[in-house]
Amino acid sequence: MKAFLYESQNARVKFGVGFLKEVGNELKELGGKRALVIATPEQRELANEVATLLGDLCAGIYTEAIQHVPRESIGQSMHVVQELQIDSFVPVGGGSSIGLAKALALETSFPILAIPTTYAGSEMTPVWGITENGQKKTGKNMIVKPKTVIYDPNLTVTLPPSLTVTSGMNAIAHCAEGLYAENANPVISIMAEEGIRAVSSCLPRILENPEDMDARSEALYGTWMGGTVLGSVGMALHHKLCHVLGGNYKLQHSETHTVILPYAIWYNSTYAPEAMARIARAIGSEVDDVAGAIFDLSKSLGVAVSLKEIGMKKEDLDEAAVIATRNPYYNPRPIDGSAIRSLLEYAFIGERPV
Ligand code: NAD
């Protein structure tokens, strides 16, 4: 066995249908007395529900969270934090709500109790991201890692089918890249394989019946695995490409992950045989057709499988390839500019990788 370093990261996870009602008790456990509930404008109603459950422990609600955390949004919300003498954050929603809470925790060191409602996995990571002058900067700091996470599958029933699938593919992407990370370790790899199995097997069941609580629970369980993998080991080509495409060309986060994943896997397939064997086992595919099988999974679930469909312009592909290869992350297969350019071409068209 290869030598490795494993560092565990503390997290208190409450997982179960209806566990949203535990939010007050959990905040007390954290010592929070004046929480700010954070959400996106679309989830204002849910934010109000959380505030009601918190009662006197809620000092305010802020529902202006925006994807990729623009720097200006931190300034506005910090004003609220100071005015209301906040001592803790309760983001409810996807990576955008949790992302704003993390940016505020970076400024204040106040604890976060996160209530995720998508499968992006940010709640399990110490990674923050802030966008300034069109560039997204990210960093790692344990201060921003939520101290407590409540996973309540009830809250995911309202996720539209397309976001259910693309967000689930986002969780699978964290797991897949964790399997061939430079600092991969056997414990995190177990979680990665299990996360891929859980999410890929439940997505078709959710599409058939969005209120299937077993399937919704399985998806959140896989999300927890994916987030833990993302927060524990390094990501590679896939995440780099998504970062560039999302940050520079404003493509939607989970849709971008869904389109790129089969091509990133294809690029790495012969350079990461153990990872491919584990992904194949998790999704039940042939080991030499993992990339194609992931492509088929997305396509069969009715979401976009090409960059063209999600708003990328063909004339931007050259520039995207250059930016993506400028400061490459570690990747099992060396990064080659012309190979990345042709990967983007295939992803643009949405041709099944073989
Ligand atoms: P999101 O938080 O932007 O949510 C997308 C949309 O779905 C929003 O309009 C939101 O209101 C809505 N929504 C969320 N949950 C819903 C539900 N249950 N029902 C109905 N609508 C719902 O999307 P996301 O994919 O969760 O997060 C993307 C952001 O998170 C990006 O900025 C990304 O960079 C970041 N992210 C960060 C990390 C990290 O570790 N720091 C990890 C993953 C993602």
Side-chain angles (χ1 to χ4, degrees):
M1 186 179 283
K2 231 175 91 186
F4 61 88
L5 168 73
Y6 171 77
E7 284 182 284
S8 68
Q9 296 178 357
N10 278 349
R12 178 177 165 91
V13 174
K14 277 217 125 167
F15 192 108
V17 176
F19 267 9
L20 179 63
K21 67 178 186 319
E22 296 291 320
V23 65
N25 291 336
E26 288 303 318
L27 190 70
K28 277 187 209 152
E29 283 278 334
L30 277 183
K33 293 189 178 72
R34 295 188 59 78
L36 183 67
V37 175
I38 298 174
T40 55
E42 299 83 10
Q43 290 183 290
R44 188 165 288 135
E45 211 174 297
L46 181 58
N48 286 336
E49 190 185 334
V50 172
T52 304
L53 285 166
L54 284 170
D56 291 346
L57 300 175
C58 176
I61 305 176
Y62 187 83
T63 55
E64 303 300 324
I66 301 170
Q67 202 163 81
H68 304 310
V69 196
R71 169 69 67 193
E72 314 78 74
S73 70
I74 304 171
Q76 287 157 12
S77 42
M78 262 312 285
H79 203 68
V80 175
V81 169
Q82 281 154 356
E83 206 169 80
L84 300 178
Q85 297 184 330
I86 296 303
D87 66 4
S88 48
F89 302 112
V90 180
V92 56
S96 298
S97 306
I98 297 168
L100 177 58
K102 285 177 163 182
L104 294 173
L106 203 55
E107 302 268 333
T108 61
S109 302
F110 296 156
I112 300 176
L113 187 172
I115 310 173
T117 65
T118 70
Y119 309 135
S122 177
E123 66 281 357
M124 296 309 299
T125 85
V127 180
W128 55 264
I130 296 172
T131 305
E132 203 163 7
N133 303 325
Q135 296 287 322
K136 187 160 177 182
K137 285 191 201 133
T138 59
K140 264 191 177 185
N141 191 325
M142 289 311 289
I143 286 284
V144 311
K145 184 167 186 285
K147 304 276 182 290
T148 304
V149 178
I150 297 180
Y151 283 111
D152 184 341
N154 263 341
L155 306 180
T156 58
V157 167
T158 49
L159 267 177
S162 62
L163 191 54
T164 294
V165 173
T166 57
S167 195
M169 296 308 290
N170 190 190
I172 290 176
H174 303 327
C175 295
E177 291 233 298
L179 285 169
Y180 53 64
E182 189 172 24
N183 58 347
N185 69 67
V187 176
I188 293 298
S189 292
I190 290 171
M191 297 180 105
E193 183 175 337
E194 175 66 353
I196 296 172
R197 183 208 60 73
V199 178
S200 63
S201 65
C202 71
L203 288 179
R205 288 159 53 209
I206 294 175
L207 283 203
E208 218 164 273
N209 176 12
E211 292 184 22
D212 178 339
M213 276 307 155
D214 277 342
R216 287 285 186 189
S217 300
E218 189 89 354
L220 269 186
Y221 160 72
T223 298
W224 171 15
M225 301 293 116
T228 304
V229 173
L230 174 67
S232 305
V233 296
M235 297 289 113
L237 174 67
H238 169 80
H239 281 75
K240 175 74 182 186
L241 285 172
C242 292
H243 197 102
V244 169
L245 294 169
N248 294 63
Y249 306 99
K250 308 279 172 279
L251 302 188
Q252 201 271 357
H253 176 80
S254 59
E255 289 180 348
T256 311
H257 273 266
T258 303
V259 171
I260 291 297
L261 186 61
Y263 303 97
I265 299 252
W266 165 82
Y267 187 88
N268 285 326
S269 53
T270 52
Y271 289 76
E274 264 180 53
M276 296 305 141
R278 292 188 85 139
I279 301 171
R281 191 163 60 196
I283 60 176
S285 78
E286 297 298 324
V287 73
D288 57 359
D289 189 33
V290 170
I294 289 182
F295 178 90
D296 293 344
L297 177 66
S298 297
K299 196 159 183 164
S300 70
L301 297 172
V303 293
V305 290
S306 70
L307 288 176
K308 195 161 124 188
E309 290 167 276
I310 63 168
M312 185 73 184
K313 294 200 187 80
K314 194 171 169 53
E315 59 268 29
D316 287 334
L317 293 179
D318 284 339
E319 183 193 60
V322 171
I323 301 173
T325 49
R326 207 177 275 153
N327 298 304
Y329 299 178
Y330 161 81
N331 193 62
R333 174 176 166 188
I335 299 299
D336 170 85
S338 68
I340 296 299
R341 176 62 184 83
S342 83
L343 178 160
L344 287 175
E345 187 73 34
Y346 284 114
F348 183 78
I349 300 163
E351 193 172 309
R352 186 183 194 276
V354 282

Short mmCIF file of all heavy atoms in Angstrom, two decimals, residues 75-100:
data_model
loop_
_atom_site.label_atom_id
_atom_site.label_comp_id
_atom_site.label_asym_id
_atom_site.label_seq_id
_atom_site.Cartn_x
_atom_site.Cartn_y
_atom_site.Cartn_z
N GLY A 75 -19.69 42.82 1.84
CA GLY A 75 -19.75 44.14 2.48
C GLY A 75 -21.15 44.42 2.99
O GLY A 75 -21.34 44.79 4.16
N GLN A 76 -22.15 44.20 2.12
CA GLN A 76 -23.53 44.48 2.52
C GLN A 76 -23.94 43.62 3.71
O GLN A 76 -24.54 44.10 4.67
CB GLN A 76 -24.49 44.15 1.35
CG GLN A 76 -24.44 45.14 0.21
CD GLN A 76 -24.95 44.51 -1.09
OE1 GLN A 76 -25.52 43.42 -1.07
NE2 GLN A 76 -24.72 45.19 -2.19
N SER A 77 -23.61 42.33 3.65
CA SER A 77 -24.08 41.46 4.73
C SER A 77 -23.28 41.66 6.02
O SER A 77 -23.82 41.49 7.11
CB SER A 77 -24.07 40.00 4.29
OG SER A 77 -22.92 39.71 3.56
N MET A 78 -22.02 42.11 5.92
CA MET A 78 -21.24 42.39 7.13
C MET A 78 -21.87 43.54 7.92
O MET A 78 -21.84 43.56 9.15
CB MET A 78 -19.79 42.76 6.76
CG MET A 78 -18.80 41.64 6.86
SD MET A 78 -18.86 40.68 8.38
CE MET A 78 -18.10 41.80 9.52
N HIS A 79 -22.47 44.45 7.16
CA HIS A 79 -23.18 45.57 7.78
C HIS A 79 -24.30 45.03 8.67
O HIS A 79 -24.46 45.45 9.82
CB HIS A 79 -23.76 46.40 6.63
CG HIS A 79 -24.03 47.79 6.99
ND1 HIS A 79 -23.03 48.69 7.26
CD2 HIS A 79 -25.21 48.46 7.16
CE1 HIS A 79 -23.58 49.84 7.57
NE2 HIS A 79 -24.89 49.72 7.53
N VAL A 80 -25.04 44.08 8.13
CA VAL A 80 -26.15 43.45 8.88
C VAL A 80 -25.60 42.72 10.10
O VAL A 80 -26.14 42.80 11.20
CB VAL A 80 -26.92 42.47 7.95
CG1 VAL A 80 -28.00 41.72 8.71
CG2 VAL A 80 -27.50 43.20 6.76
N VAL A 81 -24.49 42.01 9.92
CA VAL A 81 -23.88 41.24 11.01
C VAL A 81 -23.53 42.17 12.18
O VAL A 81 -23.81 41.87 13.34
CB VAL A 81 -22.59 40.52 10.51
CG1 VAL A 81 -21.78 39.94 11.66
CG2 VAL A 81 -22.96 39.43 9.52
N GLN A 82 -22.96 43.33 11.83
CA GLN A 82 -22.55 44.27 12.89
C GLN A 82 -23.76 44.93 13.55
O GLN A 82 -23.85 45.00 14.78
CB GLN A 82 -21.60 45.32 12.31
CG GLN A 82 -20.20 44.76 12.15
CD GLN A 82 -19.39 45.45 11.06
OE1 GLN A 82 -19.90 46.31 10.34
NE2 GLN A 82 -18.15 45.06 10.92
N GLU A 83 -24.69 45.36 12.72
CA GLU A 83 -25.86 46.07 13.24
C GLU A 83 -26.68 45.18 14.19
O GLU A 83 -27.15 45.64 15.22
CB GLU A 83 -26.72 46.50 12.05
CG GLU A 83 -27.58 47.71 12.33
CD GLU A 83 -28.16 48.20 11.02
OE1 GLU A 83 -29.15 47.61 10.55
OE2 GLU A 83 -27.59 49.14 10.46
N LEU A 84 -26.82 43.92 13.82
CA LEU A 84 -27.68 43.01 14.62
C LEU A 84 -26.89 42.25 15.69
O LEU A 84 -27.44 41.40 16.37
CB LEU A 84 -28.40 42.02 13.69
CG LEU A 84 -29.32 42.63 12.64
CD1 LEU A 84 -29.94 41.56 11.76
CD2 LEU A 84 -30.43 43.45 13.31
N GLN A 85 -25.61 42.54 15.81
CA GLN A 85 -24.74 41.86 16.79
C GLN A 85 -24.88 40.34 16.72
O GLN A 85 -25.16 39.65 17.71
CB GLN A 85 -25.07 42.37 18.19
CG GLN A 85 -24.79 43.85 18.30
CD GLN A 85 -25.01 44.40 19.69
OE1 GLN A 85 -25.84 43.90 20.43
NE2 GLN A 85 -24.28 45.41 20.03
N ILE A 86 -24.67 39.85 15.52
CA ILE A 86 -24.75 38.42 15.23
C ILE A 86 -23.59 37.67 15.92
O ILE A 86 -22.50 38.22 16.04
CB ILE A 86 -24.68 38.25 13.69
CG1 ILE A 86 -25.89 38.89 13.00
CG2 ILE A 86 -24.48 36.80 13.27
CD1 ILE A 86 -27.22 38.41 13.41
N ASP A 87 -23.87 36.40 16.31
CA ASP A 87 -22.77 35.61 16.89
C ASP A 87 -22.62 34.24 16.20
O ASP A 87 -21.77 33.43 16.60
CB ASP A 87 -22.95 35.43 18.40
CG ASP A 87 -24.17 34.58 18.76
OD1 ASP A 87 -24.85 34.06 17.83
OD2 ASP A 87 -24.45 34.43 19.96
N SER A 88 -23.45 33.96 15.19
CA SER A 88 -23.38 32.66 14.51
C SER A 88 -24.16 32.76 13.20
O SER A 88 -24.97 33.66 13.02
CB SER A 88 -23.99 31.57 15.40
OG SER A 88 -25.24 31.99 15.90
N PHE A 89 -23.89 31.79 12.30
CA PHE A 89 -24.56 31.81 10.99
C PHE A 89 -25.30 30.49 10.75
O PHE A 89 -24.75 29.42 11.05
CB PHE A 89 -23.53 32.01 9.87
CG PHE A 89 -22.74 33.29 10.03
CD1 PHE A 89 -21.38 33.25 10.32
CD2 PHE A 89 -23.36 34.53 9.91
CE1 PHE A 89 -20.64 34.41 10.48
CE2 PHE A 89 -22.62 35.71 10.07
CZ PHE A 89 -21.27 35.65 10.36
N VAL A 90 -26.50 30.62 10.21
CA VAL A 90 -27.28 29.41 9.86
C VAL A 90 -27.67 29.53 8.38
O VAL A 90 -28.75 29.99 8.05
CB VAL A 90 -28.54 29.26 10.75
CG1 VAL A 90 -29.32 28.00 10.37
CG2 VAL A 90 -28.15 29.21 12.23
N PRO A 91 -26.75 29.13 7.47
CA PRO A 91 -27.12 29.15 6.06
C PRO A 91 -28.03 27.97 5.74
O PRO A 91 -27.77 26.84 6.18
CB PRO A 91 -25.77 29.00 5.35
CG PRO A 91 -24.90 28.28 6.33
CD PRO A 91 -25.36 28.71 7.70
N VAL A 92 -29.08 28.24 4.97
CA VAL A 92 -29.97 27.17 4.53
C VAL A 92 -30.08 27.29 3.02
O VAL A 92 -30.38 28.36 2.50
CB VAL A 92 -31.34 27.23 5.26
CG1 VAL A 92 -32.03 28.57 5.10
CG2 VAL A 92 -32.26 26.10 4.80
N GLY A 93 -29.76 26.21 2.31
CA GLY A 93 -29.78 26.25 0.85
C GLY A 93 -28.61 25.51 0.26
O GLY A 93 -28.04 24.60 0.88
N GLY A 94 -28.21 25.94 -0.94
CA GLY A 94 -27.11 25.27 -1.62
C GLY A 94 -25.77 25.94 -1.32
O GLY A 94 -25.64 26.70 -0.34
N GLY A 95 -24.81 25.69 -2.21
CA GLY A 95 -23.46 26.22 -2.02
C GLY A 95 -23.41 27.74 -1.99
O GLY A 95 -22.47 28.30 -1.42
N SER A 96 -24.41 28.41 -2.56
CA SER A 96 -24.39 29.88 -2.56
C SER A 96 -24.65 30.43 -1.16
O SER A 96 -23.96 31.35 -0.71
CB SER A 96 -25.42 30.43 -3.54
OG SER A 96 -25.09 30.01 -4.84
N SER A 97 -25.65 29.89 -0.47
CA SER A 97 -25.96 30.35 0.89
C SER A 97 -24.81 29.99 1.83
O SER A 97 -24.37 30.82 2.65
CB SER A 97 -27.24 29.69 1.40
OG SER A 97 -28.28 29.90 0.49
N ILE A 98 -24.33 28.77 1.71
CA ILE A 98 -23.25 28.31 2.58
C ILE A 98 -21.97 29.10 2.27
O ILE A 98 -21.22 29.48 3.17
CB ILE A 98 -23.05 26.79 2.45
CG1 ILE A 98 -24.31 26.06 2.92
CG2 ILE A 98 -21.83 26.31 3.25
CD1 ILE A 98 -24.39 24.59 2.58
N GLY A 99 -21.78 29.42 0.98
CA GLY A 99 -20.60 30.19 0.56
C GLY A 99 -20.57 31.57 1.19
O GLY A 99 -19.51 32.04 1.63
N LEU A 100 -21.72 32.23 1.26
CA LEU A 100 -21.75 33.56 1.89
C LEU A 100 -21.47 33.43 3.39
O LEU A 100 -20.71 34.23 3.96
CB LEU A 100 -23.11 34.25 1.65
CG LEU A 100 -23.26 35.61 2.32
CD1 LEU A 100 -22.18 36.60 1.88
CD2 LEU A 100 -24.65 36.21 2.07
#
